[in-house]
Amino acid sequence: MAAQGLKGSFQSLKRACVGGVSVKDPSFQCLAPHLSRSMATETALPSSHTLQANYRAFPTSISPLGPRPSALAAPDVLTTIYSFPTMEPLRFAHYPANHLHLPLRRDILHRAVIFEGDATRQGTASTKWRDDVHGSGRKIRPQKGTGRARLGDKKNPMLRGGGVAFGPHPRDFSTKLPRKMYDLAWRTALSYRYRRGELVVVEDGMNIEMAEPRWLQQILEANHLGNADRRSLLVTTNMRRNLFRAMAGAGEHGRAKTEADVDVKDLLELGRIVIERSALDGILRDHSSDLNRTVPSAVYR
């Protein structure tokens, strides 16, 4: 009986769609009326001829929905250029969002720090095996008859002055990391500092008049860049003699390095980064290989 009732309802609905049943049929009172009133947001559905005409209007290589999100130009971010040591704002500078506004990737930063740490390991530890120790290879005592343990020559690792068993030997601890991933880690670290307000860009020529650690200490404390604010990293383009000598005497307030000596770990270690604009531009220029999206040509000319 249930199957026959369901079959009858289906046939009634089919006749209603064709137009054979009146809208006043009680079995169809629950259905919504077909566009009973017009609204400002309502519009007629396009016919098949309209769709075909619109499809022909667009080339096959371009989507009617517009360019893909990846093809859109990334917005720029705004940063302030300060004057050192007064820290007065001078002007604004624009940087691409894919340079200073990348999302945080802890996995990439971790791999970059491990890569740099492995590259700095010397791997010069060396020990001598029993073949490398100077001495005779004569057997110390007979194999049997003495009641003592059997023993070979005096270069045995169990004896004092003998070789070292399973000791370290010179090796290379360096690991490999893709260049594009390493460059992305650089810009991710700078972006992390920028979003937290810990990236201070200053005008070129950051230096002080005298190489006095106490004077530099007062400058850093007055600008909230000292030890009380988790220290600071001063990055310059070239060697600044007075600044570097003063920072060497005030090491509890931070460090000073050139652009060539900075790595990803330095960008994440201290509280703030005070960097010259030329040094920042150089770092972004040297570590942007993953932004090159040009496809190499297969035709040799």
Side-chain angles (χ1 to χ4, degrees):
M1 297 296 294
Q4 294 180 359
L6 182 61
K7 184 177 180 181
S9 301
F10 178 74
Q11 293 178 356
S12 301
L13 180 61
K14 185 175 181 181
R15 290 195 302 270
C17 295
V18 175
V21 180
S22 176
V23 181
K24 297 181 180 181
D25 193 343
S27 61
F28 294 96
Q29 293 295 330
C30 59
L31 298 180
H34 181 69
L35 297 178
S36 59
R37 59 187 179 91
S38 61
M39 299 178 62
T41 57
E42 292 179 354
T43 181
L45 295 178
S47 61
S48 59
H49 300 285
T50 306
L51 292 177
Q52 293 178 0
N54 293 338
Y55 180 76
R56 297 192 191 98
F58 290 95
T60 56
S61 59
I62 302 178
S63 174
L65 300 179
R68 297 180 180 179
S70 59
L72 298 177
D76 295 342
V77 294
L78 192 65
T79 181
T80 307
I81 308 298
Y82 295 92
S83 175
F84 188 86
T86 59
M87 302 307 292
E88 296 180 359
L90 300 178
R91 59 185 181 275
F92 295 103
H94 294 270
Y95 286 92
N98 53 10
H99 283 178
L100 292 181
H101 206 269
L102 293 176
L104 179 61
R105 290 289 303 272
R106 297 179 183 270
D107 53 340
I108 295 181
L109 295 177
H110 176 264
R111 293 191 60 176
V113 172
I114 296 300
F115 168 74
E116 294 173 347
D118 293 340
T120 57
R121 298 188 64 177
Q122 296 181 358
T124 57
S126 179
T127 56
K128 291 184 178 181
W129 179 233
R130 63 189 305 169
D131 295 337
D132 303 327
V133 177
H134 177 73
S136 174
R138 182 181 63 87
K139 190 173 178 64
I140 294 179
R141 55 176 176 262
Q143 180 78 1
K144 295 180 178 295
T146 60
R148 304 180 65 181
R150 51 193 176 185
L151 196 63
D153 55 11
K154 63 179 182 180
K155 297 183 291 183
N156 192 305
M158 295 186 301
L159 300 179
R160 182 178 180 180
V164 179
F166 309 108
H169 295 283
R171 53 171 295 190
D172 184 14
F173 286 94
S174 63
T175 55
K176 294 182 179 181
L177 186 68
R179 172 66 184 276
K180 294 184 178 181
M181 184 178 297
Y182 186 59
D183 291 347
L184 180 60
W186 274 86
R187 291 182 285 106
T188 301
L190 291 174
S191 301
Y192 171 74
R193 290 298 195 179
Y194 175 81
R195 288 196 306 271
R196 292 174 58 92
E198 299 172 350
L199 181 64
V200 182
V201 184
V202 299
E203 189 66 20
D204 295 344
M206 180 172 52
N207 203 354
I208 55 179
E209 297 180 0
M210 298 180 296
E212 291 292 337
R214 185 175 300 178
W215 190 20
L216 181 59
Q217 176 181 350
Q218 294 177 359
I219 293 175
L220 296 178
E221 290 179 351
N223 296 307
H224 302 283
L225 300 174
N227 190 13
D229 297 278
R230 298 171 50 204
R231 306 167 68 193
S232 297
L233 174 66
L234 308 182
V235 183
T236 60
T237 307
N238 300 319
M239 180 72 176
R240 306 283 191 266
R241 182 174 181 181
N242 294 341
L243 180 64
F244 280 62
R245 291 182 61 182
M247 184 58 75
E252 68 275 7
H253 293 278
R255 293 196 299 264
K257 289 189 174 184
T258 60
E259 174 190 350
D261 297 334
V262 178
D263 53 14
V264 177
K265 184 179 179 180
D266 294 330
L267 299 178
L268 302 172
E269 197 169 9
L270 301 183
R272 292 180 183 271
I273 300 176
V274 183
I275 184 172
E276 294 182 356
R277 183 179 181 180
S278 298
L280 178 60
D281 295 343
I283 291 176
L284 296 176
R285 180 180 62 254
D286 297 339
H287 299 283
S288 58
S289 62
D290 58 316
L291 300 179
N292 186 13
R293 304 180 184 276
T294 58
V295 179
S297 177
V299 180
Y300 295 95
R301 299 177 181 176

